[in-house]
Amino acid sequence: MSKLRRKPIVGLALGSGSARGWAHFGVLHALREAGISPDIICGTSIGSLVGATYAAGEMDSFQDWVLGLGKRKVFGFMDFNLGGGLLKGEKIIDFWRENFVQETMEELSAPFGCVATDLQTGAEVWLRKGSIAEAVRASIALPGLFTPVIHQGRLLVDGGLVNPVPVSLARAMGADIVIAVDLNADIMRKHMKPVDFSQTELKVQTQEIHVSALKQDAVAEEEALADPVGWSGKWKRSMTSVKSLSSSVIRRGRKDEAVDADDAPAVPSLVNVVQASVSIMQMRITRSRMAGDPAEVLIAPRLSHIGLMDFHRGRESIDEGFAATRLALPALKDWGL
C-alpha cells in the first residue's frame, strides 16, 4: 500500500522586540522572494502587529508608513497616561485599525494567532478569534509602557513575558515546519566590550612602588643592626626616602581613584534599565523554551544596535531582517522549502 505524501504546513513565528520588530518586514520580503509563503502566522507583541498586517494583505502599505516615521511622528502617537502604564496605546492601535486592518481573525486569508499574558495568573493566553486590533493591542501591552487590556474578563499584557517567540502556538495551530524569528538573540553583544587593562596596569605599578618602599625599609634596618655607629643618620635618611615614596604612592593612588571614577560606567536612566531588563528576560525565556521545542529554522537578525523605542529606524531593522533571512535560505532549502 503506497503512502500518500502531503505538502508540509509551514508556520511562521514572529517574535517580540518592540521597535526591532520592523525587522519582520525584511524577513517576510526575503521569504516572498524565495517563493516561501507561510500557511500559518503567529506573533508575540510587535510580531503580532506585523504578522496580522501580513495576513490581512496590507504589509507593503504598512511598511511604507513605517519607513516614513520620524521621531516627531512617533512622539505624536504617544498618548501619555498616569495609571497602569506610561502610554494608553489606543492612539496607535486606532490608527492602525482604521488604515490597515479592520477584519476579524476569522476573516483573514491565512490562520493567525497571537500571544498575551494574563497579568493576574501569569498564564499564557492564545488569541485566535475576534477582533484583530483588540488581540494585537493586548499582545503589545509591554508592562510599564502600555496599559493592560481587559479582554473577555482577563487583564492581559505583553505576550513576551511568557512566550517571546511563539513556536508552540504555531505547532498547536497545525504547523509541521516552523520558521522562528528571534529579535533578541544577540542583544547582549551591545554590552560586550573589550576589557581595558590600563587601569589594572596602573594598580600593579602602584603595588610595585609599595613593595619597593618596604624593601628599602628592610635594608635600612639590616644596615642599622650591622653598624650601630651612625645608624641614626642612615635610618633618618632611609625614612625620608620611604616617606617621599609613600607620598608619591598616595598621590598616585588618588589619581588612580580619580581615573576609576571617571571611567566608571554612567548609571543608565530608568527607561534604559527597564528596556535592558525586558530584553534580557525575553532572551533568556526564548532560549529556555526553544531548547525544549526548537523551531526547524531559526532566523536571528543582528539588532543589538536598535533600541526598544527606536521606531524611527525602520530601514535599518528591515535590512537586518532581510539579510538574516537570506543567510537562512540554505536551511530552508534543506526542509524542501
Side-chain angles (χ1 to χ4, degrees), residues 109-121:
S109 58
F112 170 77
C114 59
V115 180
T117 304
D118 189 317
L119 188 60
Q120 294 174 308
T121 66

Side-chain angles (χ1 to χ4, degrees), residues 179-249:
I179 304 169
V181 184
D182 182 5
L183 303 178
N184 301 304
D186 76 328
I187 195 63
M188 294 309 296
R189 184 165 60 88
K190 179 179 180 181
H191 307 287
M192 298 297 181
K193 297 180 180 179
V195 178
D196 183 4
F197 290 100
S198 60
Q199 298 307 312
T200 304
E201 292 172 358
L202 286 174
K203 291 176 183 177
V204 169
Q205 291 173 4
T206 303
Q207 291 174 353
E208 289 176 350
I209 294 174
H210 277 288
V211 172
S212 176
L214 292 173
K215 284 182 178 178
Q216 291 189 31
D217 194 357
V219 169
E221 285 188 90
E222 291 178 1
E223 290 177 352
L225 292 173
D227 183 15
V229 180
W231 68 271
S232 179
K234 293 179 180 179
W235 178 259
K236 288 179 180 178
R237 286 195 300 272
S238 66
M239 286 304 295
T240 301
S241 177
V242 169
K243 286 179 181 178
S244 64
L245 284 168
S246 297
S247 62
S248 174
V249 168

Side-chain angles (χ1 to χ4, degrees), residues 13 24 54 66 74 106 146 148 151 168 203 215 258 332 335:
H24 291 315
Y54 174 83
V66 167
V74 171
E106 292 85 350
F146 290 115
H151 180 77
S168 56
K203 291 176 183 177
K215 284 182 178 178
L332 293 168
W335 285 97

Side-chain angles (χ1 to χ4, degrees), residues 292-310:
D293 187 12
E296 279 65 37
V297 178
L298 176 63
I299 299 172
R302 296 169 67 87
L303 297 165
S304 63
H305 61 292
I306 304 293
L308 288 181
M309 299 300 292
D310 289 343

Side-chain angles (χ1 to χ4, degrees), residues 60-126:
D60 292 333
S61 57
F62 185 45
Q63 178 185 296
D64 290 340
W65 177 80
V66 167
L67 291 175
L69 284 175
K71 289 184 179 180
R72 182 173 296 182
K73 187 177 287 188
V74 171
F75 185 80
F77 280 102
M78 294 184 178
D79 44 0
F80 292 98
N81 182 55
L82 295 177
L86 181 63
L87 305 174
K88 292 180 181 179
E90 302 301 332
K91 204 169 183 179
I92 182 63
I93 285 295
D94 288 344
F95 173 84
W96 181 71
R97 173 169 37 199
E98 291 172 8
N99 291 275
F100 301 107
V101 178
Q102 296 89 22
E103 300 94 332
T104 63
M105 295 192 196
E106 292 85 350
E107 295 175 296
L108 293 173
S109 58
F112 170 77
C114 59
V115 180
T117 304
D118 189 317
L119 188 60
Q120 294 174 308
T121 66
E124 179 177 341
V125 179
W126 291 348

